[in-house]
Amino acid sequence: MKRITIYDVAKEASVSLATVSRVINGSEVVREDTRMKVQEAIEKLGYKPNAIAQGLALQKTTTIAFVIPEASFFYTGQIINGLIDVAKIYNYNMVLHTTTEGISATSDIIETIIKSRVDGVVIFNDKLDKDEITTLTNYDVPIVVIGNRISDNNICSVYVDYETLIYDYATRYYDAGKKDIALIEDRKNPAMIEQLQHGLQRVYKDHGETFKNFVKIPKEYRSSYEYLKEYFKTNKHDLIVTYRDSQAMAVLNTAKELGIKIPEDMELVCVLDSKYNAMARPQISGFKIPDYDLGAVSMRIMTKMLQEGEKDGYNRETELSYVYTARETTK
Amino acid sequence: MKRITIYDVAKEASVSLATVSRVINGSEVVREDTRMKVQEAIEKLGYKPNAIAQGLALQKTTTIAFVIPEASFFYTGQIINGLIDVAKIYNYNMVLHTTTEGISATSDIIETIIKSRVDGVVIFNDKLDKDEITTLTNYDVPIVVIGNRISDNNICSVYVDYETLIYDYATRYYDAGKKDIALIEDRKNPAMIEQLQHGLQRVYKDHGETFKNFVKIPKEYRSSYEYLKEYFKTNKHDLIVTYRDSQAMAVLNTAKELGIKIPEDMELVCVLDSKYNAMARPQISGFKIPDYDLGAVSMRIMTKMLQEGEKDGYNRETELSYVYTARETTK
DNA sequence: GTGAAAGCGCTAACAT
DNA sequence: ATGTTAGCGCTTTCAC
């Protein structure tokens, strides 16, 4: 099947290809009757402009690259939805790249991204360090980073301040005399855990103490659950902080099995709230993180960065807020 | 910052652009010393071939479009991971499109896909009907459909046979005298539910009876949970079948609240297994659906479709199997 | 208001 | 083994 081109349309409508181009791009200077003629030819032939050729001629692709570690979690999906919805409104396409360990190094991905001449790139990545982002800076393509507070000439970021989140929350506990607060490690989200750690450290430091209850999951344990079953046999705290729902549920289950009453004996909060927290029994308290908005806002900022004129229409760093939902695992 | 092109490299290396092109594409006919010369020039200038221009010249984009309803569920993410991992191995890029209701009609998406001249499209969609897929057929781009058994000239499909899955499973219950089997509706996955319904209908038909226990969630209820709380006050069955984990958990919670013992009074199986099923108490039995493989296999088939020579190296329809995991909600 | 022609950056015959 | 040249499909001056 022959791909029909702008030439075919031009011939069909007995005009030059320049005129067809003008019609496609909604140029005002075309006379109404020729516009109709061209429009008809387009319909008749079922012509679809070749975005690749347009990209070449215009030196832009109207495409944004999105890089994520893996598309595994529910909230990653939500971020993607946010990004895509806004991208659509502004007629951008999205290409998706993932930094699966073993299968593709970040440098390879950057390579492909540069080659594909996208207009911008949005990065959501726990592991991507500043060096790698700096590499991207060299190609002077606009970048929006989701999750980490970072900014530069053509780098913006959209994030939630987990450090302050947990600082504020834990401080209330500390001040109420519940000073024994523990944080469960999450190997899959090291960057987030680090932020939480910093927040808790500040709480203790404020009172001249040191935060010590960082519960690491030893490598030999297949899951947090396996280890926690051991851990809680000999440990108990006033408040347990986890990052993901599945870890909170692991705490819930082990506690029940060991006869630790939640929230009476021990309280539990899951930073990253999810529908599963509400389905657990007792229902797990958590913070509603605006995952969809993280995506949507990022893309909106990207579109602004891409508009020459709007150079000052956006902030380099955008902090998104969260809402605490008290459920049954906290008093 | 001036984008440096193949011409710049040619000039730098004092060769023609054809030679540079040959080096880039690993042509064998280039003498070693000139290859080195060119390679050096490429390094020095930091040249990256423009994939857009390559696409134009080669009439192919090495890009696959992927269409999903929404990136919300965990398994959608897994499918994406499978797709991407394989896509990477074969050096394909992926563009992601979603059919968010309200924001973008499927026809618009098809429009953009066609314009972007992707080499193939993978579709995972409950709602996309055959008409829409047929529209794509007109543009003779290779298509792989995930989830539904469907095939045509340039359409392949990869799927799990939910009908047979539940038919086999429910038959065992029926034959054991547990004839009261109910299926919970899932508005978000109508196509899957339909398959399950067909399977159960066959079970009853085999015995000259009619399957009636399809539990619809009335529109006025915000969630399955809200309705099920009412439903189970006056209803009880031998076996409850749900599609997603969250619905199974809703059944679990309402049952517990109403004093219905699971699995003693009523058994429960969740077709689409997830880690949350294992975290629930009692743990929910389910089928391990190979979500990652659905993606991976689909992309593998796509690469085969794209290879001219390999016309017969793949099946039009590929059925993937599942593994049943008995846990605590079934006897 | 419309057409002719020069690119956009690259590949692939075809020459040499 | 390397260079020349004609596209790939489109946009955009610049003439008319």
Side-chain angles (χ1 to χ4, degrees):
Chain A
M1 171 183 155
K2 184 189 176 303
R3 295 274 180 216
I4 81 113
T5 76
I6 198 169
Y7 289 97
D8 303 319
V9 178
K11 191 188 293 173
E12 178 72 28
S14 318
V15 295
S16 80
L17 76 170
T19 303
V20 178
S21 175
R22 291 193 185 99
V23 172
I24 294 168
N25 298 294
S27 167
E28 293 303 325
V29 295
V30 187
R31 213 172 48 212
E32 196 50 34
D33 56 330
T34 64
R35 175 192 302 288
M36 296 296 282
K37 220 169 39 177
V38 173
Q39 208 59 266
E40 276 169 28
I42 290 178
E43 303 280 282
K44 181 178 170 190
L45 277 62
Y47 167 70
K48 310 271 179 217
N50 182 332
I52 303 296
Q54 284 180 319
L56 227 207
L58 288 175
Q59 299 277 65
K60 57 175 184 166
T61 53
T62 56
T63 297
I64 309 291
F66 182 45
V67 185
I68 43 174
E70 258 184 286
S72 326
F73 299 122
F74 181 79
Y75 63 86
T76 319
Q78 290 305 101
I79 292 177
I80 295 180
N81 285 332
L83 279 165
I84 292 190
D85 285 352
V86 174
K88 268 176 190 156
I89 294 171
Y90 292 90
N91 282 315
Y92 280 98
N93 296 316
M94 288 237 334
V95 293
L96 191 62
H97 297 269
T98 59
T99 56
T100 321
E101 284 175 57
I103 293 199
S104 53
T106 315
S107 57
D108 291 342
I109 290 177
I110 294 177
E111 187 88 349
T112 355
I113 289 180
I114 297 304
K115 285 183 183 168
S116 67
R117 299 291 193 271
V118 293
D119 296 338
V121 9
V122 177
I123 300 177
F124 172 64
N125 204 327
D126 259 14
K127 291 136 197 165
L128 198 68
D129 54 51
K130 258 198 120 148
D131 284 358
E132 287 166 328
I133 295 182
T134 314
T135 314
L136 275 173
T137 320
N138 295 335
Y139 301 104
D140 85 343
V141 46
I143 300 173
V144 175
V145 175
I146 299 182
N148 287 311
R149 180 174 178 171
I150 169 179
S151 65
D152 199 337
N153 184 30
N154 58 347
I155 299 187
C156 290
S157 56
V158 180
Y159 58 91
V160 169
D161 185 350
Y162 287 107
E163 183 178 328
T164 305
L165 177 155
I166 205 64
Y167 173 81
D168 292 344
Y169 191 77
T171 294
R172 279 196 296 276
Y173 270 79
Y174 197 102
D175 291 347
K178 301 174 190 172
K179 303 185 182 179
D180 186 3
I181 301 170
L183 171 66
I184 311 280
E185 182 192 19
D186 183 345
R187 291 196 208 119
K188 296 197 173 173
N189 298 277
M192 306 307 169
I193 289 296
E194 200 186 341
Q195 288 186 47
L196 296 175
Q197 232 175 324
H198 288 332
L200 291 173
Q201 282 162 354
R202 262 176 50 207
V203 175
Y204 282 76
K205 203 176 175 188
D206 281 357
H207 299 83
E209 290 189 62
T210 314
F211 173 65
K212 292 194 217 70
N213 296 324
F214 180 54
V215 183
K216 277 201 175 172
I217 314 296
K219 293 246 185 301
E220 58 269 31
Y221 287 87
R222 281 219 328 271
S223 66
S224 311
Y225 173 73
E226 301 294 336
Y227 177 67
L228 293 175
K229 252 190 336 200
E230 296 304 315
Y231 181 81
F232 284 119
K233 278 182 186 162
T234 49
N235 293 274
K236 204 166 69 64
H237 302 279
D238 293 327
L239 173 69
I240 302 291
V241 179
T242 73
Y243 181 64
R244 265 181 305 143
D245 55 5
S246 51
Q247 292 189 296
M249 291 177 79
V251 173
L252 222 53
N253 287 334
T254 55
K256 194 177 291 173
E257 285 156 25
L258 296 170
I260 302 175
K261 284 206 171 58
I262 291 182
E264 294 80 1
D265 302 342
M266 185 164 85
E267 297 185 56
L268 168 67
V269 67
C270 172
V271 172
L272 193 63
D273 198 16
S274 82
K275 61 176 179 182
Y276 293 100
N277 281 340
M279 291 189 286
R281 292 294 181 270
Q283 296 188 28
I284 301 163
S285 303
F287 292 84
K288 167 74 192 130
I289 305 297
D291 30 29
Y292 179 91
D293 293 344
L294 279 171
V297 170
S298 298
M299 187 55 81
R300 183 67 188 96
I301 287 175
M302 178 57 77
T303 63
K304 287 186 177 170
M305 291 176 84
L306 259 20
Q307 293 212 336
E308 285 309 323
E310 234 173 313
K311 273 281 178 247
D312 304 311
Y314 57 90
N315 297 316
R316 285 267 174 72
E317 299 181 353
T318 307
E319 185 178 322
L320 261 41
S321 59
Y322 42 81
V323 178
Y324 177 60
T325 305
R327 294 208 184 84
E328 302 165 355
T329 58
T330 50
K331 286 188 246 184
Chain B
M1 171 184 155
K2 183 189 177 304
R3 294 274 179 216
I4 83 112
T5 76
I6 199 168
Y7 289 97
D8 302 319
V9 177
K11 192 188 292 172
E12 177 73 28
S14 316
V15 294
S16 79
L17 76 169
T19 303
V20 178
S21 175
R22 289 192 186 98
V23 171
I24 294 168
N25 298 294
S27 169
E28 293 303 326
V29 294
V30 187
R31 214 171 49 211
E32 197 49 35
D33 58 329
T34 65
R35 173 191 305 287
M36 297 296 281
K37 218 168 40 178
V38 173
Q39 209 60 265
E40 275 169 27
I42 290 178
E43 303 280 281
K44 181 178 172 192
L45 276 58
Y47 167 71
K48 308 273 179 213
N50 183 331
I52 302 296
Q54 284 180 317
L56 226 207
L58 288 174
Q59 298 276 65
K60 56 177 185 164
T61 52
T62 56
T63 297
I64 309 291
F66 182 46
V67 186
I68 42 174
E70 258 183 285
S72 325
F73 299 121
F74 180 78
Y75 63 86
T76 319
Q78 289 305 100
I79 292 178
I80 294 179
N81 285 334
L83 280 166
I84 292 188
D85 285 352
V86 175
K88 268 176 191 154
I89 294 171
Y90 292 90
N91 281 315
Y92 280 98
N93 296 317
M94 288 236 336
V95 294
L96 192 62
H97 297 270
T98 59
T99 55
T100 322
E101 284 176 56
I103 293 199
S104 52
T106 315
S107 57
D108 291 342
I109 290 177
I110 294 178
E111 187 88 7
T112 6
I113 290 181
I114 297 304
K115 284 183 183 168
S116 68
R117 300 290 193 273
V118 294
D119 295 338
V121 10
V122 177
I123 301 177
F124 173 64
N125 203 326
D126 258 15
K127 291 137 196 165
L128 198 68
D129 54 51
K130 259 198 119 147
D131 283 359
E132 286 166 329
I133 294 182
T134 314
T135 314
L136 274 173
T137 320
N138 295 336
Y139 301 103
D140 84 343
V141 46
I143 301 172
V144 175
V145 175
I146 299 182
N148 287 310
R149 180 174 177 171
I150 170 180
S151 65
D152 198 337
N153 184 32
N154 58 346
I155 299 186
C156 289
S157 56
V158 180
Y159 58 92
V160 169
D161 185 350
Y162 287 108
E163 183 178 330
T164 305
L165 177 155
I166 204 64
Y167 172 81
D168 292 343
Y169 191 76
T171 293
R172 280 195 296 276
Y173 271 79
Y174 197 101
D175 292 346
K178 301 173 189 172
K179 303 185 181 178
D180 186 3
I181 301 170
L183 172 66
I184 311 280
E185 183 193 18
D186 183 344
R187 291 196 208 118
K188 295 196 174 174
N189 298 277
M192 306 308 169
I193 289 296
E194 200 185 343
Q195 289 185 46
L196 296 176
Q197 232 176 325
H198 289 331
L200 291 174
Q201 281 162 354
R202 262 175 54 206
V203 175
Y204 282 75
K205 204 176 174 188
D206 281 358
H207 299 81
E209 288 189 63
T210 314
F211 172 65
K212 290 195 218 71
N213 297 324
F214 180 54
V215 184
K216 277 201 177 173
I217 314 295
K219 293 245 185 303
E220 58 268 31
Y221 287 86
R222 281 217 330 271
S223 67
S224 311
Y225 174 73
E226 301 294 336
Y227 177 67
L228 292 175
K229 253 190 335 199
E230 295 304 314
Y231 181 82
F232 284 120
K233 277 183 187 162
T234 49
N235 294 273
K236 203 167 70 64
H237 302 278
D238 293 327
L239 173 69
I240 301 290
V241 179
T242 72
Y243 181 64
R244 265 181 305 141
D245 56 3
S246 51
Q247 291 189 297
M249 291 176 78
V251 172
L252 221 54
N253 287 333
T254 55
K256 193 176 293 174
E257 285 156 26
L258 296 169
I260 303 175
K261 284 205 171 57
I262 291 182
E264 294 80 1
D265 303 342
M266 185 164 84
E267 297 184 56
L268 168 67
V269 67
C270 171
V271 173
L272 194 63
D273 198 15
S274 82
K275 62 177 179 180
Y276 294 99
N277 281 340
M279 290 188 287
R281 293 294 181 271
Q283 297 189 28
I284 301 164
S285 303
F287 293 84
K288 167 75 192 127
I289 304 296
D291 30 28
Y292 179 91
D293 293 344
L294 280 171
V297 171
S298 298
M299 186 56 81
R300 184 68 188 97
I301 288 175
M302 177 57 77
T303 62
K304 288 187 177 171
M305 291 175 84
L306 259 21
Q307 292 213 337
E308 285 308 322
E310 234 173 315
K311 273 278 177 251
D312 304 310
Y314 58 91
N315 297 316
R316 285 267 173 71
E317 298 180 352
T318 306
E319 185 178 322
L320 261 42
S321 58
Y322 42 82
V323 178
Y324 177 60
T325 306
R327 294 207 184 84
E328 302 165 356
T329 58
T330 50
K331 286 188 248 184

